[in-house]
Amino acid sequence: MKKVLLASACLFALAAPASAADLAARPYTKAPVAPVAAVYNWTGFYLGIVGGGAWENGSGDPKMKGGFVGGTAGYNWQTGNVVFGIEADGAWADVSATAAGVVFVPGVGGIPASLTSKTDAMGTVRGRIGWAVNNVLFYGTGGYAWIDNKLTATLGAASVSDSKWHSGWTVGAGIEAFFAPQWSVKGEYLYRSLGGETYFSGAIPTGTLNLHTVQVGVNYHFGGPIVAKY
């Protein structure tokens, strides 16, 4: 009986290590990596293109209207969620209106006549202040505005022209958003008020010209505006 008990004890002692060795090793699991969040910083210099439409604010007819396309340059400073900036833009324009009629000349009769006002170029230099929500910026803007305008008077086959530079102010608002690491798109409304000028050596004075403009633009931002955070 003692021999049987001793033999059983030896079998259990030998079997225990083998059973432990047969147990599968616990697999090593790597902790999941936290996703990277992209935080946009608006500070830096940018260049872009801009285009849109303009129409004259007023009660009379005809009213000037048309389109424009050009370029823009600016710089932003961001502190917290507040973004300060300065921006300048210039554009080729085709914004015009024509008043037509007939002038009666004694002994000749009626002669077709017209007066055309056409803005060939326009631009602004503005300050901007806005609130950034990561890659989206809501902002207000205002500053200096200018246009290069030409009056053309036509009587029959004869015509004369005179060009003047009108200066004034502008105010508006917009929204801009990054859609790629260094690219943003914006939409903007501006109200422009340009002072009157006198054409043809004082023969035709003009009043203040007020324009509504709506424009869209695409900007390229230099210096990498994205800061990655875990």
Side-chain angles (χ1 to χ4, degrees):
M1 188 64 179
K2 289 182 180 180
K3 291 181 178 181
V4 173
L5 292 174
L6 288 172
S8 299
C10 290
L11 287 174
F12 280 117
L14 292 172
S19 299
D22 290 340
L23 293 175
R26 185 177 180 182
Y28 171 75
T29 303
K30 188 177 181 180
V33 178
V36 177
V39 177
Y40 287 76
N41 189 326
W42 288 82
T43 298
F45 177 70
Y46 61 89
L47 291 173
I49 57 173
V50 65
W55 65 98
E56 185 178 357
N57 178 59
S59 56
D61 284 316
K63 296 184 181 71
M64 295 179 68
K65 60 183 178 180
F68 57 91
V69 62
T72 185
Y75 193 91
N76 291 318
W77 296 268
Q78 181 170 354
T79 173
N81 290 93
V82 180
V83 177
F84 301 92
I86 185 169
E87 182 175 286
D89 60 65
W92 294 276
D94 185 3
V95 181
S96 63
T98 299
V102 176
V103 174
F104 288 92
V105 179
V108 177
I111 300 177
S114 65
L115 182 65
T116 298
S117 178
K118 181 182 178 183
T119 296
D120 297 310
M122 61 198 310
T124 66
V125 179
R126 295 174 281 117
R128 302 201 309 172
I129 183 170
W131 183 265
V133 184
N134 201 16
N135 67 318
V136 180
L137 176 65
F138 303 90
Y139 64 90
T141 182
Y144 171 73
W146 61 268
I147 63 170
D148 185 14
N149 195 68
K150 180 171 67 175
L151 283 187
T152 301
T154 302
L155 181 62
S159 66
V160 291
S161 296
D162 190 15
S163 295
K164 295 293 181 180
W165 183 281
H166 294 247
S167 293
W169 55 268
T170 182
V171 66
I175 181 172
E176 186 172 359
F178 280 102
F179 63 89
Q182 289 177 284
W183 292 92
S184 67
V185 62
K186 71 175 182 180
E188 191 172 68
Y189 165 79
L190 294 177
Y191 180 83
R192 311 179 193 221
S193 182
L194 295 311
E197 294 291 337
T198 301
Y199 289 77
F200 302 111
S201 301
I204 303 180
T206 68
T208 301
L209 175 62
N210 298 313
L211 294 174
H212 300 282
T213 62
V214 175
Q215 57 197 45
V216 295
V218 176
N219 293 326
Y220 178 82
H221 298 255
F222 295 85
I226 299 179
V227 178
K229 282 192 176 182
Y230 285 94

